[in-house]
Amino acid sequence: MHCEIRTIVSHSQLAIFAKNIENPFNDWTERHALQGFSWRPGSVSFRTIAESGEHIIDVLVCDQLPHPMPEAVHAIEVPFDVPPNGGVEVGSIIETTPVPLKGGAYLLRCEFLQPRGEIGTRGRLTFARAESPRFFVVRADSELSVGHELLKTAKPAVS
């Protein structure tokens, strides 16, 4: 499966979460911001390379992860379990888009790409079924400061 999502991002975060999760967005600590993601079961938010604005996100579902895109500024992998009903949302606090996926365990890679001309910020989300789940910063830009141990827990953001 392959589709493209256009979404308006705010607060430098792109969220992916199970549709029926209560309080789907994550609270961020300074450590989360430095490593580039905030994760808890059923919800992950990735730090974008642009503070806000339109983002064009390609969503790819496959069995094996392709190589990271050469123009990826940063790329991060996390485990992600899609609920049996397959309901997943992608977007930000401003808007989200439903993405129908088969339920099951995935390795999710998020890549944000080097900007090109007038095109909005581009990214790619890859859901790989046959890969072993892991937390891994594949590529970091100068905005990320990844320590030796990644923070693998977050709390829900509540208003």
Side-chain angles (χ1 to χ4, degrees), residues 11-151:
H11 304 300
S12 300
Q13 61 181 316
L14 179 70
I16 299 91
F17 54 86
K19 184 176 183 175
N20 295 328
I21 192 170
E22 190 174 337
N23 299 316
F25 300 100
N26 293 335
D27 194 21
W28 286 72
T29 65
E30 183 177 337
R31 192 164 157 203
H32 288 120
L34 288 173
Q35 72 184 15
F37 71 94
S38 177
W39 182 94
R40 64 188 164 103
S43 176
V44 61
S45 292
F46 295 101
R47 182 176 173 182
T48 61
I49 60 174
E51 168 71 25
S52 60
E54 184 178 47
H55 281 57
I56 302 163
I57 308 295
D58 285 323
V59 179
L60 177 64
V61 179
C62 56
D63 288 329
Q64 300 289 325
L65 278 176
H67 290 289
M69 298 181 77
E71 66 270 32
V73 174
H74 64 251
I76 299 169
E77 297 172 354
V78 298
F80 193 85
D81 289 334
V82 174
N85 68 6
V88 172
E89 298 274 332
V90 175
S92 73
I93 59 172
I94 294 174
E95 66 180 355
T96 62
T97 301
V99 177
L101 298 172
K102 290 184 181 178
Y106 291 84
L107 176 61
L108 170 58
R109 179 191 292 152
C110 179
E111 300 169 86
F112 289 104
L113 311 179
Q114 188 67 41
R116 289 190 311 199
E118 298 295 317
I119 299 174
T121 302
R122 298 177 309 124
R124 180 170 77 175
L125 296 173
T126 305
F127 292 85
R129 291 190 71 107
E131 297 285 340
S132 298
R134 63 185 168 264
F135 293 90
F136 185 60
V137 177
V138 178
R139 187 173 296 153
D141 62 359
S142 62
E143 297 297 313
L144 301 184
S145 177
V146 182
H148 296 291
E149 187 71 28
L150 295 172
L151 183 55

